């Protein structure tokens, strides 16, 4: 920002890993008069959303929509299926996994963590090994994050499902897909997930304040015997009201207008194209970081995240000061750092309604900020990202011509 100026010019470069940039089309869809949430127009809107969201989770079972952030849907997943004292196996992929574990403790569960150094995703072999040891089948659920937003590591859901099956263990499988849904391939039914936890403010491109539980038949059966206290989160009342197109309480009508539009936009682009775009932007980001000669927090390419890439700054460089400088000078924001990487890394979000040129703007601002902050790095990161994007568009253009 110029000296002595109270005006910030142009659009903010929102490169936090969610909430992601709100598309104008969704904003406009929400800019509409309030309707009666017990009337027929609402029932039509609700039906559209309740049916539409199933196509995003890839399930034919119901998806429960909460007026709450993702944290609420975490709690809903646990309290609807489990009972006080139940053991749950979780994987310490980073800050958000740690928060989910703390929540499990607070509500009376007994979570056990498989530790990591916060630089990889969940390992199917480690989960299988722990389940094989559990001869008495005391572990009632395996819970992990598809995408750990605090580090940028994606875990292999289908492989973990196979690992649970190979161990012959009956535990429920619960997956947090908050920062991967509608950005990375996700298949609730095919992958045999029992509860998938989603949020609105990332791949679905909505403002924060809405979250989801996609459920399996096994989860619905567990709900019948689960004894943890639940009221607002209870699935049964929601499912009964949803069947007739309504909610047990005043729903977030404007958010539902946004959701219907967000789902429409995702299908217009095509889900596979959405995933390919996220993969392309993530790879371009990694190419830039590697060209800068900086370290990516995710240390094993098989776990690379399509939605967020965390960058480690060299020893002695304060990542919070770097973020503040980049915001001040270039009007760009990155994700903050947590836990063992507090003050040491910044996270580049590349998810939601973002295209190649938007990403390049963000990477250019980052390269300039690295120079201004005197962070030792090589130049040419933006060029490396551009070269990669050109190669991808080149092959796409060639394919189209053939
Ligand atoms: N899980 C993941 C993977 C997240 O990224 C977040 C938030 O960013 C949460 C859970 C918590 O969601 P919320 O902040 O919407 O409550």
């Amino acid at each position: 920002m110029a000296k002595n100026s109270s005006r910030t010019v142009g659009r903010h470069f929102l490169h936090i890993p969610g909430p992601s940039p709100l598309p104008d089309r969704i904003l406009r869809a929400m800019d509409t008069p309030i309707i009666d949430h017990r009337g027929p127009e609402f029932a039509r809107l609700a039906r559209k959303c309740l049916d539409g969201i199933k196509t995003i989770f890839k399930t034919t079972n119901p998806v429960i929509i909460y007026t709450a952030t993702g944290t609420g849907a975490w709690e809903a997943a646990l309290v609807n299926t489990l009972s006080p004292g139940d053991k749950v196996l979780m994987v310490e992929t980073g800050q958000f996994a740690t928060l989910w574990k703390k929540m499990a403790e607070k509500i009376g569960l007994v979570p056990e963590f498989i530790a990591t150094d916060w630089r990889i995703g969940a390992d199917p072999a480690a989960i299988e090994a722990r389940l094989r040891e559990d001869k008495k089948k005391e572990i009632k659920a395996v819970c992990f994050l598809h995408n750990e937003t605090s580090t940028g590591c994606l875990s292999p859901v289908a492989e973990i499902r196979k690992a649970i099956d190979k161990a012959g263990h009956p535990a429920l499988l619960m997956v947090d897909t908050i920062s991967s849904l509608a950005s990375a391939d996700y298949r609730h039914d095919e992958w045999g997930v029992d509860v998938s936890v989603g949020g609105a403010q990332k791949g679905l491109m909505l403002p924060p304040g809405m979250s989801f539980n996609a459920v399996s038949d096994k989860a619905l059966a567990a709900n019948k015997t689960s004894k943890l206290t639940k009221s607002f989160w209870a699935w049964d009342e929601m499912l009964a009201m949803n069947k007739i197109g309504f909610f047990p309480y005043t729903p977030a009508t404007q958010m539902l207008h946004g959701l219907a539009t967000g789902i429409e936009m995702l299908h217009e682009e095509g889900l596979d194209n959405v995933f390919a775009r996220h993969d392309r932007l993530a790879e371009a980001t990694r190419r830039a970081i590697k060209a800068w000669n900086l370290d990516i927090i995710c240390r094993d390419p098989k776990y690379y995240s399509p939605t967020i890439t965390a960058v480690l700054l060299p020893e002695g460089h304060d990542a919070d000061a770097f973020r503040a400088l980049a915001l001040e000078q270039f009007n760009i924001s990155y994700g903050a750092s947590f836990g063992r990487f507090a003050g040491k890394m910044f996270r580049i979000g590349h998810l939601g309604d973002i295209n190649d040129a938007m990403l390049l703007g963000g990477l250019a601002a980052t390269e300039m900020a690295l120079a201004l902050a005197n962070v030792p790095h090589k130049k040419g990161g933006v060029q490396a990202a551009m070269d990669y994007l050109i190669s991808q568009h080149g092959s796409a253009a060639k394919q189209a011509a053939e």
Side-chain angles (χ1 to χ4, degrees):
M1 199 195 293
K3 259 194 180 161
N4 308 322
S5 167
S6 59
R7 179 167 126 74
T8 307
V9 180
R11 285 223 171 182
H12 179 64
F13 277 75
L14 186 69
H15 279 283
I16 57 173
S20 62
L22 185 59
D24 291 349
R25 183 165 152 195
I26 292 186
L27 200 59
R28 303 283 170 265
M30 296 174 74
D31 181 8
T32 183
I34 301 287
I35 55 173
D36 171 14
H37 61 285
R38 308 271 181 223
E41 191 182 346
F42 180 84
R44 282 194 292 277
L45 171 65
R47 194 70 279 138
K48 200 170 168 188
C49 291
L50 290 163
D51 290 344
I53 193 68
K54 291 186 194 187
T55 64
I56 304 298
F57 280 96
K58 297 194 178 151
T59 180
T60 53
N61 266 8
V63 177
I64 291 116
I65 303 179
Y66 291 109
T67 305
T69 69
T71 306
W74 264 351
E75 182 163 343
L78 300 175
V79 297
N80 273 290
T81 51
L82 300 168
S83 297
D86 277 355
K87 281 192 182 170
V88 291
L89 184 62
M90 297 179 132
V91 186
E92 189 204 357
T93 43
Q95 174 73 3
F96 290 102
T98 304
L99 291 176
W100 202 10
K101 177 185 177 249
K102 281 189 184 152
M103 170 187 278
E105 275 161 0
K106 282 188 207 154
I107 63 177
L109 297 168
V110 183
E112 178 183 321
F113 243 171
I114 295 177
T116 82
D117 61 359
W118 288 35
R119 298 193 71 165
I120 52 169
D123 173 14
I127 293 174
E128 183 181 337
R130 180 62 191 95
L131 292 179
R132 281 187 190 280
E133 282 169 19
D134 181 33
K135 302 274 184 253
K136 291 190 192 152
K137 314 288 184 220
E138 286 174 340
I139 294 170
K140 299 299 174 205
V142 174
C143 307
F144 69 94
L145 275 58
H146 185 207
N147 190 67
E148 174 56 77
T149 325
S150 68
T151 62
C153 294
L154 190 83
S155 292
V157 183
E159 283 178 44
I160 292 172
R161 168 78 265 166
K162 279 191 203 132
I164 298 172
D165 294 344
K166 270 207 284 181
H169 201 288
L172 292 164
L173 172 57
M174 302 198 202
V175 181
D176 169 333
T177 178
I178 289 176
S179 61
S180 50
L181 187 72
S183 305
D185 190 14
Y186 193 82
R187 308 173 189 196
H188 175 88
D189 285 2
E190 189 184 319
W191 292 346
V193 182
D194 293 303
V195 188
S196 296
V197 177
Q201 75 272 30
K202 314 238 184 199
L204 286 166
M205 307 172 286
L206 297 183
M210 178 180 274
S211 54
F212 312 93
N213 277 179
V215 297
S216 70
D217 290 340
K218 188 171 158 186
L220 289 170
N223 181 239
K224 300 255 182 298
T225 54
S226 134
K227 296 202 170 47
L228 278 173
T229 305
K230 47 197 153 291
S231 170
F232 179 80
W233 306 117
W235 288 345
D236 48 4
E237 277 180 48
M238 269 287 223
L239 291 173
M241 289 297 282
N242 284 174
K243 266 197 186 127
I244 51 169
F246 298 106
F247 285 70
Y249 49 75
T250 316
T253 318
Q254 305 318 98
M255 288 288 282
L256 290 167
H257 283 298
L259 177 63
T261 302
I263 294 169
E264 219 168 76
M265 289 167 68
L266 288 165
H267 286 306
E268 279 171 18
E269 184 177 353
L271 283 180
D272 289 342
N273 294 328
V274 172
F275 305 149
R277 172 169 55 82
H278 281 82
D279 284 342
R280 184 175 77 237
L281 297 179
E283 178 59 21
T285 305
R286 291 189 295 265
R287 299 244 176 159
I289 297 165
K290 287 174 188 166
W292 291 328
N293 205 23
L294 295 175
D295 264 353
I296 294 171
I297 291 285
C298 183
R299 64 177 163 78
D300 184 341
K302 79 170 181 244
Y303 294 115
Y304 277 160
S305 164
T307 59
I308 168 256
T309 305
V311 187
L312 191 63
L313 284 187
E315 199 66 36
H317 288 268
D318 178 346
D320 296 338
F322 172 76
R323 286 190 304 111
L325 177 146
L327 177 63
E328 174 69 22
Q329 299 299 325
F330 301 114
N331 196 16
I332 180 169
S333 41
Y334 309 102
S337 53
F338 299 107
R340 63 180 71 188
F341 293 113
K344 296 183 175 157
M345 69 168 179
F346 65 101
R347 296 174 299 140
I348 304 177
H350 31 76
L351 72 167
D353 191 39
I354 156 166
N355 62 28
D356 302 55
M358 290 162 81
L359 179 78
L360 286 171
L363 293 176
T366 307
E367 191 161 330
M368 290 190 286
L370 288 169
L372 281 184
N374 294 317
V375 173
H377 69 287
K378 289 191 181 148
K379 293 193 189 306
V382 175
Q383 187 63 55
M386 281 171 51
D387 290 345
Y388 174 72
L389 292 172
I390 292 165
S391 75
Q392 295 302 296
H393 284 275
S395 50
K398 213 168 133 207
Q399 265 175 20
E402 278 165 10

